[in-house]
Amino acid sequence: MLLTVLGHAAAAQAQSQPAQPSVPLRELSLEQLGSLEVTTVAKQPSEVWRTPAAITVLTQDDIRRSGVTTLPELLRLVGGVQVSRVDSDHWAIGIRGLTSAFSKALLVLVDGRSVYTPLFGGVYWQVQETLLEDVERIEVIRGPGGTIWGSNAVNGVINVITRHSRDSTGALVSVGAGNVDHGRVSVRYGASRGDAMSYRVYATGSMRDAEYHPDGHDYDEWSLAQTGLRLDLGRAGGETLRLQGDVYRGTTGDRVALGSFTPPSQRLLEGSDMVSGGNIVAGWERELAAGTRVRLQAYYDRTGRQAIHFGEERNTLDVDLLLQTPIGRRHQVSWGAGARSSHSEFTAKDPAVSFVPEDRTQRLASVYGQDEIALLPDQLFATIGTKLEHNTYTGWEVQPSARLLWRADTQETVWAGITRGVRTPSRFETEVRVTQFLRPSPLTYVQLAGTPAFDDETLVGLEAGYRRLISPSLYLDVTAFHNSYQGLSSFGPFAVSIQAAPIPHVLATTSYQNGIRATSDGFEISPDWRPRGWARLRGSYALVSIDATNRPGFSDAANVALYEGSVPRHQAWVQASLTLPNRVEVDYVQRAVGRLVSHSVPRYVTGDARVAWDAPNGFTLAVAGQNLFAPRHREFFRDDFPQPGVRRSMYISATWRR
């Protein structure tokens, strides 16, 4: 109703004041969006129309108008991506299934630097504090991307790409506060000397309140401070050098239940995890003779986490080389190699949690090749490639793909592909020991043990898509998929033994096994309609159906139900955006998410809104609300505690640019 009234008001004012110039839009037209160059699919610039994959691009304008303050919340605007908030500082994010609090089936990158941790196989979302004002775009691939990016890009790739420093010159100060997002301050300054040199430095800090907990244990408050810089150098002939880095420190709330021997009981631990880290990235590109380009990127990343029940320090060094060479008129060949070493040092803080061995270095080496073949110039393209990768746990892995794309015309594309993806084991699945108290008589404990022989999880994915600019004001993107998984993690049968230390007790041990296979089928449809220059209506609907079974010789019914029931069968959202006279913006998003059968999480419908005034002097004032339909609702589950609720929130921010 609000959007309808505002829309009529904007139209009426435009008719009553014909001499007034229209408000300039920073959004790209639908035709320009289709012509955006994306890099995540092939590690080289390619128009969306020439991309044989399900890709969504969130532009800087999409990010700004969303009104959200964290990277995970931004991903709600990508069709087919499940974003479920577990509590204030944890999210479960998935694409096309296998959703868990670890986000184990996704590879997440920031400017090509992987933030996937091999400790448990997933992403620490709460420490990805990228300054959103400096993000140029977020490219999200729905579907496997292992041929390009290697292991763990099973169900999708999320690549956060920050702006070139010459595009963020001048000063920026942003402050905000709300009832849940208590406070956020960001400052940034950049300068440029043409194309020869540009730089920026920034600092940001935030504090966030706990979500709703029915038992009154508000353990999940968190805060984080981060600072960083970027330097870009350019020389004649297309040679560029990029240096960037970040450091951060903060606290994140945590709550765990662990077994205790003194006294025999199940203990509840609550407190703050101390998190810190930093990284430095160097990237070099140069154009050689005959259109050949070479790119070399290296980064060092250090992460530290002193949790209430364990500690880990991790140091990662990664090097990646890529060459792109045209051969004749029909072949665009890319090939390269990479190496990574990630050293983990575990610190035991509680006898109920341990890793054996405590320290581990995980190594990865890979070679890669891909050829894009123009079967019919400017119309029909075949892309064939593979990545050959060697990792510490399972040795050699092959991740091939074959894709076909047909451009019916310049604004209509049909594509299809088949890809193999691999998720490599994490330390949690191979080396962990976690002990829980079960009952006092007879005194019994349960232990979850990692399995050194735990194998990789594999996917063979089939997908096909269609995208078309139906008219200058209407764009449509449709994708269908069938995924087949083998060797998904499950729990083996219990082995019962009598232990004498530290006190006599019965110990029932279960271990990780590759005991489940599954299929997922579905489709995603994302229309984008701009009936007027000042109005936009876009949305998405996604259907996912998962069928999981135990492999012969295995019988883990609980995890079968979890794989099938932790993903909503239906997801939909629609966003209406208005750019009104006097530089006023209004955005409203309504979201509907189906229930999670495995843990009886009910379906929910809610809405988010943002109203902003962009003054001519570089000052922007915005008010945003999230989850407006109810005081709170559940989005995911925790097995060990009463289910947290995501609270309704309001947030006001002021930003000054010069």
Side-chain angles (χ1 to χ4, degrees), residues 589-604:
V589 179
Q590 184 155 321
R591 298 182 277 118
V593 180
R595 67 192 181 108
L596 306 184
V597 178
S598 61
H599 284 69
S600 301
V601 177
R603 63 179 180 268
Y604 68 89

Side-chain angles (χ1 to χ4, degrees), residues 453-523:
F454 188 82
D455 206 353
D456 53 58
E457 299 179 343
T458 63
L459 158 75
V460 175
L462 299 169
E463 50 187 339
Y466 174 77
R467 58 176 69 98
R468 182 183 178 189
L469 186 63
I470 298 173
S471 72
S473 62
L474 181 60
Y475 175 85
L476 182 66
D477 192 331
V478 182
T479 305
F481 62 89
H482 171 78
N483 290 337
S484 178
Y485 303 92
Q486 295 290 335
L488 297 179
S489 63
S490 64
F491 297 138
F494 284 98
V496 179
S497 61
I498 306 299
Q499 302 291 318
I503 57 176
H505 65 279
V506 177
L507 182 65
T509 302
T510 184
S511 59
Y512 280 107
Q513 307 289 336
N514 297 98
I516 294 176
R517 58 190 177 193
T519 59
S520 67
D521 299 272
F523 70 90

Side-chain angles (χ1 to χ4, degrees), residues 135-363:
V135 175
E136 177 183 301
R137 65 188 186 276
I138 301 174
E139 299 178 1
V140 180
I141 299 175
R142 305 185 309 279
T147 302
I148 302 297
W149 296 102
S151 56
N152 307 318
V154 177
N155 279 0
V157 181
I158 298 170
N159 194 5
V160 180
I161 300 172
T162 62
R163 292 176 169 182
H164 194 286
S165 56
R166 66 167 174 261
D167 298 324
S168 55
T169 58
L172 178 144
V173 179
S174 180
V175 296
N179 65 315
V180 177
D181 207 338
H182 276 179
R184 186 174 296 268
V185 178
S186 301
V187 294
R188 183 251 288 153
Y189 179 78
S192 174
R193 296 181 180 177
D195 292 334
M197 185 194 75
S198 56
Y199 71 91
R200 66 167 174 262
V201 294
Y202 78 92
T204 183
S206 62
M207 297 182 297
R208 189 174 178 96
D209 198 10
E211 295 291 353
Y212 170 77
H213 298 275
D215 60 359
H217 289 248
D218 295 339
Y219 62 87
D220 50 336
E221 296 178 334
W222 57 293
S223 62
L224 197 72
Q226 180 167 304
T227 185
L229 59 85
R230 172 165 174 160
L231 172 68
D232 290 280
L233 303 173
R235 296 178 59 184
E239 185 176 7
T240 63
L241 177 65
R242 166 176 55 95
L243 293 171
Q244 61 188 107
D246 314 275
V247 293
Y248 66 86
R249 180 178 293 274
T251 61
T252 68
D254 203 356
R255 186 185 199 188
V256 295
L258 297 171
S260 171
F261 290 99
T262 53
S265 63
Q266 185 80 343
R267 294 170 299 126
L268 181 65
L269 303 180
E270 291 183 354
S272 294
D273 297 347
M274 306 299 295
V275 295
S276 62
N279 64 83
I280 183 167
V281 184
W284 172 76
E285 291 189 39
R286 183 173 182 179
E287 186 169 345
L288 306 177
T292 298
R293 293 193 65 87
V294 58
R295 191 190 75 180
L296 179 65
Q297 176 172 288
Y299 67 80
Y300 167 74
D301 187 283
R302 178 177 177 83
T303 61
R305 178 170 293 262
Q306 296 301 316
I308 56 178
H309 54 306
F310 75 91
E312 192 215 23
E313 300 287 337
R314 179 171 292 274
N315 293 274
T316 301
L317 181 63
D318 183 280
V319 180
D320 185 72
L321 173 68
L322 175 68
L323 284 92
Q324 299 157 353
T325 306
I327 300 178
R329 297 182 178 181
R330 294 182 179 270
H331 297 267
Q332 183 69 39
V333 177
S334 302
W335 60 277
R340 179 182 303 163
S341 176
S342 186
H343 180 67
S344 168
E345 297 180 1
F346 175 82
T347 302
K349 291 188 174 183
D350 192 289
V353 180
S354 63
F355 281 79
V356 181
E358 288 194 342
D359 299 343
R360 166 74 74 177
T361 299
Q362 293 157 284
R363 294 184 173 88

